[in-house]
Amino acid sequence: MPFGTKHNQAHVELRAALGLKQHRSAVFAPVLSSLVAFLMLGTAIAPAQALELFGYEIGLDGISKVSETESDASVPDPVTYDVTLNVPDEDIRETLEAASLLIEQKDKPASGTVGLLLRMRNDRKRLLASLYEEGRYGGVVDVTVNGRAPDEVALDEDLSTAGKPAVRINVTPGPVFTFSQPQVTDASGNQLDVSTFGLVEGDVAKSDLVLDAENALVDRYQREGYPFAAISNRVLEADHRTQKLDVLLEVAPGEQARLGSVSVSGAKDVDSDFIAQQANIPQGELYSPEETRAAAKRLRSLGVFESVIVKPGKEVLADGTVPMMIEVKERKPRTIGAGITVGNLDGIGLEGFWTHRNLFGKAEKLRIESSVSRIGQDDFSQIDYHGAVLFSKPGVFGPTTTFESELAADYINPDAFEKRSVSAEVALRKDFNEQLSGRAGLKVEYSRLTDDTGTDNRLLTSIPLEMSYDTRDNQLDPTEGFQILLQAEPTAGFEQSNYFLKTSATAMAYQALDDAKRFVLAGKVSAGTIFGASKKDVPADRRFFTGGGGSIRGYAYQAAGPRNSKGAPEGGRSFAIASAEARVRVTDSIGLAAFVDTGGAFDGLTPGDKGDWYTGVGAGIRYLTPIGPLRLDVAVPLKKIHGEPQYGVYLGLGQAF
């Protein structure tokens, strides 16, 4: 959404193509209606495919519940069993239980005696590996069924004649080993500093530390331009008398090489030369794994590929270069989608769109979208309408520049104003590097705007500008990194001869508190102001509004700010918002959050001046998916507003920020 329209949105935009990055939030209640809305999301589903969501499979032939475990009927010769883990050291019980397939799949029948014996043998290997991960190299794992080892059971024996087979896992953990004098050498026998690779004499000799050291050693040489660096020799010796582990790692760097010619395979409808251009591999420079990862990331961002692999060829050529190979698998270019939202505050909303991601063979994207919202809230004259045609073309001035354009028509009716408009915008987006990007555009909008002061026809021309520095590890569900977003939009209204500059700055930061990234603290600070014109000379739709899922949860859309004499929101000349959120992933698919948002819109030029602060607190649940979390938040306002809801329910795709 262009910066010059509104500070946040009046409705949720439920994108049927779930992979899209944009998401919007709105107040929804009751919760059941919102869940129904998500279950009715449209998507481009092939006849033989279905969408799995919230434990249900949604296909062209209807909605059915997905079974969590296979039924006995689907497993040939099903054998159910009881399993018990015996371990004297309770400190590692949880670790062993997590590693055991016999325990994890105890409710899933094995396929005959052979299937059960196979699970037992695999489990012994997994449990021994789990002990090694804890530095226990003298441990013993015995797995029996009905008191017998797997080798003592005939493959065709019926183990269920006396009831369920009794599987017993007996583990003797053994002592904890420490590193003796770990050594790391290169191909010439030169000793390397082992501490830089995480191997320290006297530390617990966890097997993962050895594997991490190997990866770090290989990565070090690859970053120095050796594409085929590899571990040539690995010696691990456990001395059970001293409980020490001797480690010797030898690395073979291979030849140093420069990045060479680029070849593309797997392309069908996307131009191969265009793919090589957009990969932007700096030929002639020293080989770098960072460059290969960045090239793959750039190609994935085009949105036309299901998978992208960028890797060096098989050998270094005589000229000292290594050929680079790009392997792609294209996704279907067209998507048709539809969505529906239902809520007691916003009524019913309908949306549909059609997208072509590869219009002319070079990842040109055309999108046609339309929506109708607020159905059933007031009379039909208060319904919101939106229609737009969007086109983007990457690589217009080199591989890091994208042309964007939009032609839109809107009829919107929030509490603060009524607006009918048509607008056109063109822009260029530039990626300076992986973290830093910028955007500059030109927008022209003709609108008929009605607010508490009357009705005006306006022709506005603006130049939306944006700079972003983004180190987040995931845009929809970040756990580490930060983003700084600066926006400015000089605007001129020629008919009214009014000029103003709208600016804002936003900073967001994320920090995981554990290695598994289950506990995450997130924070956001945002502020903005409008220079060059008094509040009354700034059109109502260009002012700052706060309140709602995109800013201060607990309040309705636009509610947390200045109001006119009739009690309706009228926006402010500045705004400030601060948010803090604690997130925890309870299971692989369920997360919880607690949050506080505070801020407001203000009549003064300085954020915080001439206005009130509003604070909302709440909690939420997250259903974690590969494309980002489905978010359900419930919040209450600490500062009540007469006539406004006393709570808010918000549903969206992706975290709140």
Side-chain angles (χ1 to χ4, degrees):
M1 180 177 190
F3 167 65
T5 53
K6 296 187 289 294
H7 177 58
N8 54 18
Q9 284 78 28
H11 63 281
V12 162
E13 181 181 39
L14 297 180
R15 296 296 189 186
L18 294 179
L20 290 179
K21 295 180 180 178
Q22 261 188 324
H23 65 280
R24 301 178 180 177
S25 297
V27 181
F28 281 94
V31 178
L32 180 60
S33 298
S34 300
L35 295 178
V36 170
F38 261 103
L39 289 174
M40 295 181 68
L41 282 170
T43 190
I45 302 176
Q49 295 176 330
L51 174 68
E52 187 176 320
L53 190 65
F54 293 130
Y56 289 84
E57 189 175 82
I58 307 171
L60 299 180
D61 54 352
I63 301 176
S64 59
K65 186 171 179 61
V66 178
S67 174
E68 295 183 357
T69 59
E70 294 186 52
S71 66
D72 291 3
S74 66
V75 178
D77 189 19
V79 175
T80 59
Y81 57 90
D82 292 323
V83 58
T84 303
L85 171 63
N86 300 312
V87 54
D89 190 343
E90 291 296 322
D91 291 340
I92 64 169
R93 174 178 292 276
E94 185 176 346
T95 300
L96 296 173
E97 288 178 345
S100 171
L101 280 179
L102 284 167
I103 293 176
E104 178 184 335
Q105 299 181 359
K106 63 182 179 181
D107 295 326
K108 178 181 177 181
S111 180
T113 299
V114 173
L116 180 58
L117 296 178
L118 183 61
R119 280 192 197 180
M120 294 169 62
R121 291 189 174 97
N122 287 338
D123 226 39
R124 183 177 182 277
K125 296 177 182 178
R126 292 172 62 92
L127 292 170
L128 282 173
S130 182
L131 291 176
Y132 295 163
E133 290 174 2
E134 298 296 319
R136 299 174 183 268
Y137 297 91
V140 178
V141 177
D142 290 320
V143 185
T144 62
V145 56
N146 293 339
R148 292 182 292 166
D151 293 341
E152 299 173 353
V153 179
L155 298 181
D156 59 352
E157 182 176 340
D158 184 359
L159 296 172
S160 304
T161 54
K164 282 187 179 182
V167 177
R168 298 291 181 267
I169 305 172
N170 299 309
V171 178
T172 302
V176 175
F177 281 61
T178 57
F179 288 118
S180 176
Q181 292 181 331
Q183 300 180 57
V184 177
T185 65
D186 60 18
S188 302
N190 299 316
Q191 294 280 341
L192 304 178
D193 183 1
V194 295
S195 63
T196 61
F197 304 104
L199 301 180
V200 179
E201 182 179 357
D203 281 1
V204 176
K206 297 181 178 181
S207 60
D208 282 351
L209 293 178
V210 179
L211 296 176
D212 290 344
E214 292 183 4
N215 292 333
L217 185 59
V218 171
D219 185 66
R220 169 180 166 175
Y221 276 93
Q222 288 184 344
R223 284 187 284 108
E224 293 176 355
Y226 297 88
F228 302 110
I231 299 299
S232 58
N233 187 29
R234 177 193 304 111
V235 178
L236 303 178
E237 294 183 353
D239 188 331
H240 292 271
R241 181 180 58 83
T242 62
Q243 297 171 11
K244 297 286 186 179
L245 181 70
D246 293 327
V247 178
L248 171 63
L249 300 178
E250 294 181 3
V251 61
E255 293 184 68
Q256 195 176 47
R258 301 184 309 278
L259 295 166
S261 61
V262 178
S263 62
V264 177
S265 62
K268 296 180 180 179
D269 297 322
V270 184
D271 184 83
S272 294
D273 292 338
F274 171 77
I275 294 174
Q277 170 194 299
Q278 292 303 115
N280 199 25
I281 296 174
Q283 298 181 39
E285 292 188 7
L286 204 61
Y287 172 84
S288 166
E290 286 82 2
E291 288 293 347
T292 63
R293 288 192 286 267
K297 183 178 179 179
R298 285 190 288 269
L299 293 177
R300 293 189 191 100
S301 70
L302 295 174
V304 293
F305 302 118
E306 282 190 4
S307 64
V308 176
I309 298 175
V310 180
K311 61 183 181 180
K314 295 182 178 180
E315 60 183 0
V316 178
L317 302 182
D319 62 358
T321 65
V322 58
M324 298 302 298
M325 303 169 60
I326 301 176
E327 300 174 2
V328 299
K329 181 180 180 181
E330 296 179 7
R331 62 186 297 194
K332 294 181 179 180
R334 299 174 183 84
T335 296
I336 297 177
I340 180 172
T341 62
V342 182
N344 70 330
L345 295 177
D346 292 319
I348 299 172
L350 304 174
E351 178 188 359
F353 67 88
W354 175 87
T355 299
H356 196 305
R357 301 182 186 88
N358 188 37
L359 197 61
F360 304 119
K362 294 185 178 181
E364 301 91 347
K365 181 178 179 181
L366 177 66
R367 177 185 173 92
I368 301 173
E369 64 182 28
S370 63
S371 64
V372 181
S373 57
R374 294 170 61 92
I375 300 173
Q377 284 301 93
D378 297 295
D379 57 47
F380 279 95
S381 65
Q382 299 300 306
I383 292 177
D384 289 352
Y385 302 91
H386 167 76
V389 178
L390 301 92
F391 175 77
S392 64
K393 177 177 174 57
V396 286
F397 298 112
T400 61
T401 306
T402 300
F403 170 79
E404 301 174 346
S405 63
E406 177 179 359
L407 180 63
D410 291 277
Y411 180 19
I412 58 176
N413 297 275
D415 293 339
F417 54 82
E418 176 187 292
K419 178 182 177 182
R420 302 181 184 185
S421 67
V422 291
S423 62
E425 182 180 5
V426 294
L428 288 177
R429 182 177 296 277
K430 170 74 172 179
D431 295 324
F432 299 99
N433 53 46
E434 284 193 67
Q435 292 81 33
L436 183 63
S437 65
R439 183 181 186 273
L442 175 64
K443 181 178 180 180
V444 178
E445 178 185 83
Y446 181 79
S447 64
R448 181 178 179 85
L449 186 68
T450 300
D451 58 15
D452 62 316
T453 63
T455 300
D456 284 318
N457 295 324
R458 296 178 181 270
L459 177 63
L460 298 179
T461 301
S462 61
I463 303 175
L465 303 171
E466 178 182 298
M467 288 291 291
S468 173
Y469 189 82
D470 192 349
T471 67
R472 294 175 297 173
D473 55 354
N474 185 304
Q475 290 191 348
L476 285 177
D477 190 15
T479 61
E480 290 182 338
F482 65 91
Q483 181 187 21
I484 298 175
L485 179 65
L486 304 177
Q487 294 175 302
E489 187 171 10
T491 302
F494 295 106
E495 294 182 354
Q496 292 76 22
S497 297
N498 59 334
Y499 308 90
F500 56 89
L501 172 64
K502 187 176 184 180
T503 63
S504 73
T506 300
M508 295 175 285
Y510 310 86
Q511 180 61 59
L513 302 181
D514 62 321
D515 293 338
K517 298 181 180 181
R518 289 186 172 273
F519 299 90
V520 177
L521 295 180
K524 173 184 175 182
V525 178
S526 185
T529 191
I530 300 174
F531 298 96
S534 64
K535 175 180 170 179
K536 66 180 181 61
D537 291 328
V538 177
D541 64 311
R542 298 300 177 106
R543 299 171 190 162
F544 290 113
F545 293 88
T546 56
S551 57
I552 307 174
R553 286 164 286 186
Y555 295 90
Y557 171 68
Q558 294 187 341
R563 293 174 176 261
N564 59 27
S565 58
K566 298 178 181 179
E570 64 175 6
R573 194 178 172 190
S574 63
F575 84 96
I577 294 173
S579 299
E581 187 166 292
R583 303 164 184 168
V584 57
R585 191 170 75 244
V586 180
T587 69
D588 289 339
S589 59
I590 299 296
L592 300 175
F595 56 84
V596 56
D597 302 329
T598 188
F602 307 96
D603 287 332
L605 180 65
T606 303
D609 183 30
K610 298 181 182 179
D612 296 325
W613 287 80
Y614 300 85
T615 301
V617 297
I621 188 170
R622 310 288 187 261
Y623 184 82
L624 308 176
T625 75
I627 59 167
L630 297 178
R631 168 175 49 89
L632 176 65
D633 287 337
V634 180
V636 296
L638 297 187
K639 183 175 183 177
K640 309 296 183 182
I641 300 177
H642 179 71
E644 293 291 342
Q646 300 304 301
Y647 67 95
V649 180
Y650 307 87
L651 186 65
L653 175 62
Q655 298 286 5
F657 60 88

